[in-house]
């Protein structure tokens, strides 16, 4: 069973030769990512304040919001600067933005409007507490806008006319973009993040919701890795950074002083990077790719679930924790089939 390989380039817009396509350099993508990580850092800092000092926050105007929104202002200003080059070349509207940055062009105004709406929302209804803060309409708008901005560098390098083994810096742009998006998504699902269930007090009580959180977290951690694999061979260390940064941010925000989860995430990421280097999964090597999709969740959940039982932090039976790990692995295979589906026979296009 084979899969359809992804295209490695992107056709130039109608009427433009490839030489005239407005592209940004790898260095400029890195600047976008550094400013984007400022935005993500501000998000986690604000989350820390709400989780650790929630009862004392009574205003929209806080130091935590200042870091968050100045990060947005910085990345928005940078994207506008990139678009100004297209404007000087006579391009207008979305066409003025570099190739791939149309996502940022949509994300910046969405984030800005949602931020203004958030100020109004807090003025009228007060400061949300708990899960309500994550699910309020204006915060969902901020999340969507941030994701569009953070995805722009990945979208841009995805379209570059380079192969899977592109220069390392190009592939690291993609990996950092994936890291920022995973961390932001994990933030929005902090109440269901399976790797922090035990440190937050799962202890000797397991519910269907908490066990389901493990499976959801497994899908969230596997999806960006497989997405990047559609386009690039991952640089060694990419999964380590992706998992380490995300879980460090969540641990500092939700369980200050908890060091086991970030350390475990780094170790599991290294194990996954070794697995990637060994199997060399790609759309052209579909069986190794399916094997990687199955083994990647096992790299995380066998050490984690087995470890918390061994340490006496949970009373999960062998059947339950090992079964959960295998279910997570099967979910990885399912994601791989969605991202790398079998090729269709020619006859399928006739109906």
């Amino acid at each position: 069973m084979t899969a359809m390989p992804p295209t490695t380039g992107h056709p130039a817009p109608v009427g433009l030769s490839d030489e005239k396509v407005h592209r940004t350099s790898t260095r400029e993508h890195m600047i976008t990512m550094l400013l984007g990580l400022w935005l993500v850092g501000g998000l986690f800092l604000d989350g820390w304040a709400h989780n650790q000092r929630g009862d004392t926050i009574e205003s929209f105007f806080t130091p935590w919001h200042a870091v968050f929104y100045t990060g947005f202002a910085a990345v928005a200003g940078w994207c506008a600067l990139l678009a100004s080059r297209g404007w000087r070349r006579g391009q207008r509207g979305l066409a003025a933005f570099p190739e791939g940055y149309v996502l940022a062009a949509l994300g910046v105004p969405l984030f800005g409007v949602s931020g203004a709406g958030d100020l109004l929302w807090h003025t009228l209804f007060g400061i949300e507490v708990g899960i309500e803060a994550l699910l309020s309409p204006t915060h969902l708008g901020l999340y969507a806008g941030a994701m569009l901005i953070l995805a722009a560098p990945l979208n841009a390098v995805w379209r570059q006319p380079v192969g899977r083994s592109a220069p390392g810096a190009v592939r690291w742009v993609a990996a950092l973009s994936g890291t920022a998006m995973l961390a932001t998504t994990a933030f929005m699902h902090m109440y269901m993040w399976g790797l922090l269930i035990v440190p937050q007090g799962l202890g000797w009580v397991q519910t269907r919701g908490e066990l389901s959180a493990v499976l959801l977290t497994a899908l969230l951690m596997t999806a960006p890795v497989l997405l990047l694999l559609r386009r690039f061979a991952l640089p060694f260390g990419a999964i380590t950074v992706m998992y380490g940064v995300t879980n460090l941010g969540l641990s500092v925000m939700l369980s200050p002083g908890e060091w086991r989860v970030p350390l475990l995430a780094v170790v599991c990421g290294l194990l996954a990077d070794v697995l990637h280097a060994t199997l060399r999964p790609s759309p052209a090597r579909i069986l190794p790719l399916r094997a990687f999709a199955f083994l990647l969740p096992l790299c995380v959940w066998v050490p984690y679930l087995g470890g918390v039982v061994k340490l006496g932090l949970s009373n999960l039976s062998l059947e339950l924790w090992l079964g959960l790990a295998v279910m997570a692995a099967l979910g990885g295979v399912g994601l791989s089939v969605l991202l790398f589906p079998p090729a269709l026979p020619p006859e399928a296009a006739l109906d």
Side-chain angles (χ1 to χ4, degrees):
M1 186 169 62
T2 60
M4 293 295 289
T7 57
T8 56
H10 186 76
V14 176
L16 288 177
S17 66
D18 188 66
E19 291 77 12
K20 293 183 179 180
V21 174
H22 181 193
R23 293 194 178 99
T24 50
S25 67
T26 302
R27 175 178 174 273
E28 289 167 335
H29 290 317
M30 284 294 188
I31 293 175
T32 305
M33 283 316 312
L34 288 175
L35 297 176
L37 290 172
W38 177 359
L39 171 65
V40 175
L43 174 66
F44 275 84
L45 180 61
D46 186 55
W48 170 85
H50 280 279
N51 278 279
Q52 306 303 322
R53 305 178 58 178
D55 295 339
T56 65
I57 298 177
E58 299 179 353
S59 171
F60 179 87
F61 299 98
T62 65
W64 336 112
H65 269 183
V67 176
F68 180 48
Y69 282 103
T70 53
F72 163 69
V75 72
W78 172 249
C79 291
L81 177 62
L82 295 177
S84 69
R85 300 176 185 175
W87 181 272
R88 290 195 297 269
R89 293 167 57 177
Q91 297 166 314
R92 297 294 182 265
L94 294 178
F97 284 82
E99 184 180 42
Y101 275 70
V102 65
L103 296 182
L106 299 174
V108 166
L110 175 58
F111 191 103
V113 169
S114 298
D118 196 41
L119 172 59
L120 179 62
W121 186 278
H122 289 320
T123 301
L124 294 177
F125 302 109
I127 306 296
E128 304 96 336
V129 177
I131 297 177
E132 289 85 352
L134 294 170
L135 300 181
S136 72
T138 53
H139 287 178
L140 293 177
L142 290 169
Y143 167 60
M147 288 292 282
L148 288 170
I149 295 169
L150 297 171
L154 172 59
N155 190 36
V157 297
W158 190 290
R159 295 164 178 258
Q160 287 185 12
V162 295
R164 291 181 54 80
S165 297
V170 172
R171 290 182 287 143
W172 270 110
V173 167
L176 290 175
S177 181
T179 298
M181 288 189 288
L182 174 61
T184 304
T185 301
F187 178 95
M188 295 300 293
H189 293 83
M190 67 176 77
Y191 56 95
M192 292 284 283
W193 196 250
L195 279 169
L196 284 171
I197 286 179
V198 171
Q200 283 193 285
L202 172 61
W204 294 86
V205 181
Q206 289 85 33
T207 69
R208 289 182 179 87
E210 288 161 332
L211 298 177
S212 299
V214 170
L215 299 178
L216 173 64
T217 303
L219 292 175
L220 291 177
M221 292 179 67
T222 303
V225 177
L226 295 181
L227 175 63
L228 292 177
L229 277 176
R230 272 193 63 83
R231 181 63 180 87
F232 295 110
L234 299 180
F236 190 86
I239 305 175
T240 304
V241 169
M242 192 176 296
Y243 287 1
V245 168
T246 297
N247 287 285
L248 176 62
L250 286 167
S251 295
V252 170
M253 179 178 65
L254 297 175
S255 303
E258 169 56 49
W259 56 269
R260 294 166 298 180
V261 168
L263 178 61
L264 175 68
V266 169
V267 172
C268 294
L270 280 171
L271 181 60
D273 278 315
V274 171
L275 183 68
H276 174 269
T278 302
L279 293 177
R280 297 183 292 112
S282 75
R285 292 169 47 81
I286 198 65
L287 290 180
L289 188 142
R290 299 279 190 248
F292 177 78
F294 179 81
L295 294 172
L296 176 62
L298 291 181
C299 290
V300 176
W301 298 103
V302 168
Y304 176 71
L305 294 172
V308 296
V309 171
K310 186 69 174 179
L311 293 172
L313 299 175
S314 174
N315 65 340
L316 287 170
S317 66
L318 174 64
E319 294 83 358
L320 195 51
W321 74 259
L322 191 56
L324 269 176
V326 173
M327 283 290 288
L330 293 174
V333 176
L335 282 177
S336 77
V337 174
L338 291 175
L339 285 167
F340 304 86
L344 294 173
E347 294 78 7
L350 300 178
D351 296 332

